[in-house]
Amino acid sequence: MDYKSSLIQDGNPMENLEKQLICPICLEMFTKPVVILPCQHNLCRKCANDIFQAANPYWTNRGGSVSVSGGRFRCPSCRHEVIMDRHGVYGLQRNLLVENIIDIYKQECSSRPLQKGSHPMCKEHEDEKINIYCLTCEVPTCSMCKVFGAHKACEVAPLQSVFQGQKTELSNCISMLVAGNDRVQTIITQLEDSCRVTKENSHQVKEELSRKFDVLYAILDEKKSELLQRITREQEEKLSFVESLIQQYREQLDKSTKLVETAIQSLDEPGGAIFLLSAKQLIRSIVEASKGCQLGKTEQGFENMDYFTLDLEHIADTLRAIDFGTDEEEEEFIEEEEDQEEEESTEGKEDGCQ
């Protein structure tokens, strides 16, 4: 607390000094003992204890049972949070310097004469000081107003008693508000923690979901490769068979072509004796070649590959139906899939028997 710089800036050092000695809770001059917080702000110990008790209702005071641990205290000036030990506010250090300044200030004020205008005066009776409080109208007034003025029929009380009562009430309200702020801050902290945990949990389930879908992708890729290989093997077998037939027919065609050329040459032979020597054998070879040209053939629909067609509509429907659910729903889904597979297996066996 820089008293010197504050006093130099103000033209009235005593008035400014009084402002520096005001408790931020009760808004009055510090009441001894004065405690100093780690943040270097000062409080009346009574005011600090009231706030501490309101913010920590389960912490027992000095007259109750011994508390094993302290509580939390938030400075009303800077909102700095202090962790108390088991002594609570009574464990804070007293600011003897401020207490000595208060004593010096009070001695200085008591030795000075009351300045004119330092006490509020009644507007109706300008020479009368405001010294009583009208309980009926809830306004401060003077004695003349009670005897002769507007508050003649009203109920009044000494100004000091009402002053102390309302000051206590305001202090309690401040303590309650500060405690409420602490509770709100606690709720904010809890909500921030909730946001953090929600983000962490969301990240975790996203990672798990991505992992499961990656497994599905891998299964589909593996099954796709397997089925493509089966189609490729079937294609190679059919092509090999057809190419073998083509080779056989080409060989047969070459033999027939050569036989035709030999027969034509025999027809061009002018001598009957020479022609007859080879004609009989040539005719027999042509007849045998005509019979042997009936080689293997492909069956009708040999080129068809439709039996490799897949009906994936029910699987597509199942994939579209993927959604978040309980463990019970997942078990029911697995059971339905198993029942469907058993039915398909049974139908396949019946068709094989037929």
Side-chain angles (χ1 to χ4, degrees):
M1 184 180 292
D2 192 357
Y3 296 103
K4 186 176 180 180
S5 60
S6 299
L7 294 176
I8 292 175
Q9 294 174 1
D10 201 313
N12 191 339
M14 293 300 293
E15 182 177 344
N16 191 62
L17 178 60
E18 182 179 358
K19 294 179 181 178
Q20 299 296 328
L21 298 176
I22 296 298
C23 173
I25 298 177
C26 63
L27 303 179
E28 295 293 333
M29 187 174 294
F30 289 117
T31 301
K32 296 191 293 184
V34 180
V35 293
I36 182 169
L37 299 173
C39 57
Q40 302 303 311
H41 289 113
N42 298 284
L43 301 171
C44 304
R45 188 162 70 185
K46 178 182 180 304
C47 297
N49 190 56
D50 291 342
I51 292 182
F52 179 70
Q53 292 287 347
N56 301 272
Y58 297 106
W59 188 89
T60 56
N61 55 26
R62 301 185 84 189
S65 59
V66 179
S67 178
V68 177
S69 61
R72 297 178 181 271
F73 182 85
R74 197 179 295 275
C75 175
S77 297
C78 66
R79 310 302 298 162
H80 176 74
E81 188 176 71
V82 181
I83 305 299
M84 298 292 190
D85 58 15
R86 62 187 182 87
H87 299 290
V89 174
Y90 291 90
L92 294 173
Q93 184 179 359
R94 290 178 61 178
N95 195 335
L96 299 178
L97 175 60
V98 173
E99 292 182 4
N100 292 334
I101 293 175
I102 292 173
D103 292 337
I104 296 172
Y105 175 81
K106 289 183 177 179
Q107 291 176 4
E108 180 68 20
C109 289
S110 62
S111 62
R112 289 190 174 191
L114 185 63
Q115 298 181 0
K116 184 178 180 180
S118 60
H119 195 286
M121 309 300 287
C122 180
K123 293 181 180 180
E124 299 295 331
H125 308 90
E126 297 180 357
D127 295 332
E128 293 292 328
K129 297 178 181 180
I130 294 178
N131 55 4
I132 59 175
Y133 188 85
C134 178
L135 299 176
T136 305
C137 301
E138 296 184 345
V139 292
T141 185
C142 69
S143 301
M144 294 298 292
C145 288
K146 169 61 180 172
V147 178
F148 304 106
H151 302 282
K152 183 177 181 179
C154 297
E155 181 181 358
V156 297
L159 191 66
Q160 191 64 24
S161 64
V162 179
F163 164 71
Q164 291 295 335
Q166 290 196 2
K167 186 172 72 171
T168 301
E169 182 180 358
L170 181 58
S171 297
N172 294 335
C173 291
I174 293 174
S175 299
M176 181 175 62
L177 183 58
V178 172
N181 290 342
D182 289 339
R183 287 191 289 271
V184 171
Q185 183 63 43
T186 301
I187 294 174
I188 291 175
T189 302
Q190 293 175 349
L191 292 176
E192 290 176 347
D193 291 340
S194 178
C195 290
R196 177 183 55 79
V197 174
T198 300
K199 290 180 180 179
E200 292 176 356
N201 291 339
S202 297
H203 179 72
Q204 181 179 355
V205 296
K206 284 179 180 179
E207 290 291 331
E208 181 66 17
L209 181 64
S210 298
R211 186 189 65 79
K212 291 182 177 181
F213 269 85
D214 289 340
V215 172
L216 288 178
Y217 298 151
I219 293 173
L220 289 174
D221 287 338
E222 182 180 359
K223 179 57 68 174
K224 175 183 175 182
S225 299
E226 178 187 343
L227 296 180
L228 288 175
Q229 289 177 2
R230 288 174 58 185
I231 295 175
T232 301
R233 286 196 299 269
E234 182 71 11
Q235 172 188 337
E236 292 175 350
E237 290 177 1
K238 287 189 175 185
L239 291 179
S240 176
F241 176 73
V242 173
E243 289 173 353
S244 175
L245 289 180
I246 292 174
Q247 182 65 28
Q248 293 177 17
Y249 276 101
R250 280 178 177 173
E251 292 176 356
Q252 181 65 31
L253 181 61
D254 290 340
K255 291 179 180 180
S256 297
T257 302
K258 291 179 180 180
L259 190 60
V260 169
E261 291 177 354
T262 303
I264 292 174
Q265 291 176 358
S266 296
L267 290 176
D268 293 337
E269 185 64 40
I274 297 174
F275 172 80
L276 291 174
L277 288 174
S278 60
K280 195 65 176 179
Q281 180 63 32
L282 186 60
I283 293 171
R284 192 180 300 112
S285 297
I286 293 174
V287 172
E288 290 179 357
S290 299
K291 294 179 179 179
C293 67
Q294 296 180 356
L295 300 176
K297 296 180 181 180
T298 59
E299 298 179 357
Q300 186 177 3
F302 176 82
E303 304 86 355
N304 193 358
M305 304 287 280
D306 292 343
Y307 48 87
F308 286 111
T309 302
L310 292 178
D311 183 9
L312 300 178
E313 188 62 29
H314 65 288
I315 297 179
D317 292 338
T318 302
L319 292 176
R320 295 188 191 98
I322 291 177
D323 199 356
F324 301 107
T326 61
D327 294 338
E328 294 180 356
E329 293 177 350
E330 292 180 357
E331 291 177 358
E332 293 177 357
F333 173 76
I334 293 174
E335 291 177 357
E336 291 177 357
E337 287 293 316
E338 291 177 351
D339 294 340
Q340 185 174 356
E341 291 178 358
E342 290 180 359
E343 291 177 359
E344 293 177 353
S345 176
T346 304
E347 291 176 356
K349 290 180 180 179
E350 291 177 354
D351 293 339
C353 293
Q354 292 175 358

